[in-house]
Amino acid sequence: MQQPLLLFIGDLRGDSMHNIAPLNWRKFPERYLLKGNYCEVCKQAFFPPRPICPNCRRKGKLIQMEMPRQGKILSYTKVHVPPEGFKNEAPYYLAVIELENKAKVLSQIVDSEQEKIKIGAKVKKVFRQIGEPDKYGTITYGYKFKVIQ
Amino acid sequence: MTAGIVGYGIYVPKLRIKVSEIERVWQKSSGGIGVNEKAVASIDEDACTLAVEAARRGIEDFSIDPKRINAIYVGSESHPYAVNPTSSIVGDALGTTNKYYAVDMEFACKAGTAGMQVCYALKKARMIDIGLAIGSDTAQSKPNDALEFTAASGAAAFFIGDKKDEVIAEIESTCSYTSDMPDFWRRPKAEFPEHTGRFTAEAYFKHVIGAAKMILEETGYRADEFDYAVFHQPNGKFPLKAASILGIETKKVEQGLITPLIGNTYSGSTMIGLASILDIAKPKQKILAVSYGSGAGSDAFIINTTDNISDRRAKVPVLEMIKEKEYIDYALYLRHRRKIKSL
Ligand SMILES: [Zn+2]
């Protein structure tokens, strides 16, 4: 009985996008606050959170942990041909960032002059729109990073 | 201890467009509005991300535990959703608990100060520990409309509490002057606001002066007893004229006059000005703050700094923070503000 209703809504693409909202929601702690986890046995932090410690396996003891908001660029690239949905933001920089607790994050770099984006540059987390599937679906928010020195 | 401000944070996006660049495109003068350039949110920013960034700075600079925030009111005329609150996104993004009162507010440019009044009242009623009131806007304006010269993006977050060692400025009194005067509006499906030109000035002065006189009458203070004053600043001129009507010296208004440098940040306007005053105010100084929202109303506040302000300050003052900027031309401005039809 879903089909006739959908016709009234008029935008089938929008409807399929709505199914993403609950999946997105489960990732809010990760995207909004950089919540990863930390193994109390081997003392290593993980981001995104791991279901099981890759070092200690069954003997590991993982707890949820907010990652530090600062880190440094380990590696970066300039994206000219972006995936679907990021066309209007291109070209943009993507970087692998090592946070202060050694956990690694892949993130877009924003608000930073080209000459400041380099390996070793200190970066800080900012809160930005990550994307919107269309004019009808939910807006996705999350972390991006900017160079602070 | 009287309830008051325990911290504040400001966020102004990095992009700027010069008013002269807008004048170049439309081949007309902005007409001496006293604004040099305006801050522009980038394509991945909106009133919600601005609000989060402003509040985050306040949390960091004033060592506020987000778990103590029991109320979040976000005032804006550019909430990213028509339905679905900005305030709950802000709460989750700051890492609050789930125990907080929250609602989005809208009253043109004064919804942020209305949030301050609500937090202040909740604090006085002992219903919250710390309340967070935010004014945030990515102000919209139709290309080639007079508003385009000034409509800017920015946010201010004020934390209201009453712990003796935390309050940097007590709110001594607040009141509102309100009437039905439609000088600026946006209908539900309209993309840009409409306004009535000069009638806006009439509405502005009626309410700003009305609220200022009301609070002076209620408290018995004279206008010249204040060390600083800040008014809503749709342009660089109105606040100075309001001060002169009230008999307040120009130099007392200058520290909080930020619109000439970043444009009119709407719900953020009065609050960013107030933050700039708190950046430099000494203990035991008196501040008069009056916002204005079209439609129309003004919220007036009498704010007294405490001894705590000597060592509880924002790490980067407003006037310093806004120096971090990157100029864009009109074409990039259209791209970032999604004014190109296909975006
Ligand atoms: Zn382990």
Side-chain angles (χ1 to χ4, degrees), chain A residues 25 28 32-33 35 66 69 87-91 108 110-113 124-130 132 135-141 144 146-147, chain B residues 11 13-15 42-46 48-50 52-53 56-57 60 67 80-81 84 88-89 92-96 324-326 335 338 342-343:
Chain A
W25 177 73
F28 283 180
Y32 288 10
L33 293 164
K35 277 195 179 161
E66 214 172 297
R69 295 168 194 285
K87 202 171 76 181
N88 295 332
E89 287 183 51
Q108 194 176 327
V110 292
D111 276 4
S112 309
E113 287 105 44
K124 183 180 184 177
K125 181 180 100 83
V126 293
F127 188 75
R128 293 291 179 107
Q129 278 189 6
I130 303 299
E132 48 174 6
K135 292 282 170 217
Y136 303 96
T138 54
I139 302 164
T140 307
Y141 293 101
K144 290 184 181 177
K146 71 174 274 189
V147 176
Chain B
Y11 179 75
K14 192 182 177 189
L15 303 179
S42 71
I43 195 162
D44 61 350
E45 292 184 300
D46 60 27
C48 178
T49 65
L50 266 50
V52 170
E53 287 296 314
R56 175 60 67 191
R57 285 178 194 211
E60 286 178 357
K67 307 233 173 317
Y81 286 92
N84 187 44
S88 62
I89 304 171
D92 268 26
L94 297 177
T96 58
E324 188 193 337
K325 58 188 172 184
E326 179 189 338
R335 173 179 170 173
R338 299 172 195 254
S342 65
L343 300 185

Side-chain angles (χ1 to χ4, degrees), chain B residues 26-45:
Chain B
W26 299 113
Q27 292 290 301
K28 66 178 185 189
S29 160
S30 58
I33 47 175
V35 178
N36 304 318
E37 56 196 50
K38 65 172 193 171
V40 180
S42 71
I43 195 162
D44 61 350
E45 292 184 300

